[in-house]
Amino acid sequence: MPGNLKKIKQMPSLYQGVVNALKEAIIAGRYHSGEALPSEMELASQLGVSRPVVREALRALQSSGFVEIRRGIKGGAFVGDATRLGLGDNLADLIRLRRVTVAHLYQVRSHLEPEVCRLAALNASQEQLQKISEMLDEYRAADSDDQRVTLNARFHRLIARACGNPLYGLIMDSIMDFTEGFVRTIKPRGHLIHDDEEHVDILQALLARDAERAERLMRGHAESIDREMHSLEQTYLRIKDENAGV
């Protein structure tokens, strides 16, 4: 039987505190897929909150796929199947649960992003290309790593939005949300997991409407990112687990 959960410290949203506590307990392996969580009354007592707060937190965890609510005599809150978690914010959770790896992410990205870049070379408007160019100027002028991380990710987001397929844009946003968080967590010094000039070369291919070159350059770019992220994956997981007190 897993040990009791710690009481929630006062924070702007008590229910979010309960969400965080239960997610961390599941990620740490204290509760396993298909296992019943303590009752609402027990959780409220352990965490020092009211039952309505626990109920709201369980609904939020259900919507994200972490928890399954079953009705009936044998009902209650059960740990969900982590392999069915949605993408979005849950990509980082899936990686921390060791159900998805950086290698899995690269396999998807290596097929997706070169095609996104090829389409952007064909479909991007002049206004969209101008925004990408201005973003790179802003990146060069950035005076903090935090700014550079944000702008680095925005480069990929802007290309995806310029490709002409909004679904690609949504998927790339999810991938870049995780990638941005990954880089902020490990805080690499002196560079941001790839050569900055790679973005410049990609932009030149987009401006020239050279779809084949844009696709080839983005494929190589994705490969260089994967090498760095793969080498830092265990560091990322260790830091995230330490920060969560796992």
Side-chain angles (χ1 to χ4, degrees):
M1 180 74 178
N4 287 352
L5 298 164
K6 296 178 182 178
K7 290 193 185 306
I8 299 298
K9 296 178 182 178
Q10 202 65 28
M11 57 188 306
S13 172
L14 278 177
Y15 105 89
Q16 189 60 51
V18 175
V19 168
N20 293 343
L22 291 174
K23 278 176 65 174
E24 292 304 334
I26 292 168
I27 288 171
R30 293 172 63 184
Y31 300 101
H32 301 284
S33 181
E35 183 178 348
L37 293 175
S39 67
E40 284 184 8
M41 186 178 297
E42 290 175 281
L43 288 172
S45 175
Q46 289 183 32
L47 297 167
V49 297
S50 67
R51 289 181 66 181
V53 169
V54 169
R55 199 171 299 127
E56 185 181 6
L58 290 174
R59 281 198 294 266
L61 288 166
Q62 181 183 32
S63 69
S64 65
F66 260 90
V67 165
E68 177 188 354
I69 306 297
R70 300 178 191 171
R71 307 297 176 189
I73 298 174
K74 296 184 179 180
F78 294 78
V79 178
D81 181 356
T83 60
R84 295 183 181 179
L85 289 177
L87 200 54
D89 293 338
N90 289 323
L91 181 53
D93 293 326
L94 285 165
I95 287 177
R96 287 195 59 210
L97 283 162
R98 279 66 166 179
R99 303 299 176 89
V100 171
T101 67
V102 166
H104 292 139
L105 179 63
Y106 168 68
Q107 191 173 40
V108 172
R109 189 170 181 174
S110 65
H111 288 289
L112 177 74
E113 198 164 19
E115 172 64 6
V116 165
C117 201
R118 185 187 73 82
L119 289 173
L122 297 174
N123 299 326
S125 67
Q126 285 303 120
E127 182 182 1
Q128 288 171 322
L129 292 174
Q130 182 63 29
K131 281 184 178 179
I132 297 170
S133 181
E134 289 171 356
M135 191 284 307
L136 282 185
D137 290 338
E138 191 178 348
Y139 178 88
R140 293 187 191 98
D143 57 6
S144 74
D145 284 343
D146 190 63
Q147 282 181 292
R148 282 188 282 271
V149 170
T150 299
L151 293 168
N152 205 297
R154 191 180 299 167
F155 176 81
H156 295 267
R157 298 179 196 273
L158 289 176
I159 290 176
R161 288 170 191 160
C163 79
N165 186 327
L167 285 177
Y168 281 156
L170 291 171
I171 296 170
M172 282 307 303
D173 271 342
S174 294
I175 291 173
M176 294 318 301
D177 285 346
F178 169 72
T179 304
E180 198 171 336
F182 182 99
V183 176
R184 290 187 194 282
T185 297
I186 59 172
K187 297 180 175 64
R189 299 187 180 277
H191 69 291
L192 295 178
I193 72 174
H194 64 73
D195 184 345
D196 293 341
E197 288 304 309
E198 292 178 10
H199 281 185
V200 176
D201 292 341
I202 290 168
L203 173 61
Q204 291 305 315
L206 294 175
L207 292 171
R209 302 290 184 178
D210 189 336
E212 184 179 337
R213 184 164 182 265
E215 179 181 15
R216 184 176 69 255
L217 288 171
M218 185 59 83
R219 191 177 306 283
H221 185 55
E223 288 173 0
S224 66
I225 292 171
D226 173 64
R227 283 193 298 271
E228 288 286 336
M229 289 183 67
H230 185 74
S231 69
L232 294 165
E233 182 174 10
Q234 293 308 311
T235 301
Y236 167 81
L237 290 170
R238 176 179 53 76
I239 293 172
K240 294 295 285 186
D241 287 347
E242 286 174 356
N243 289 345
V246 174

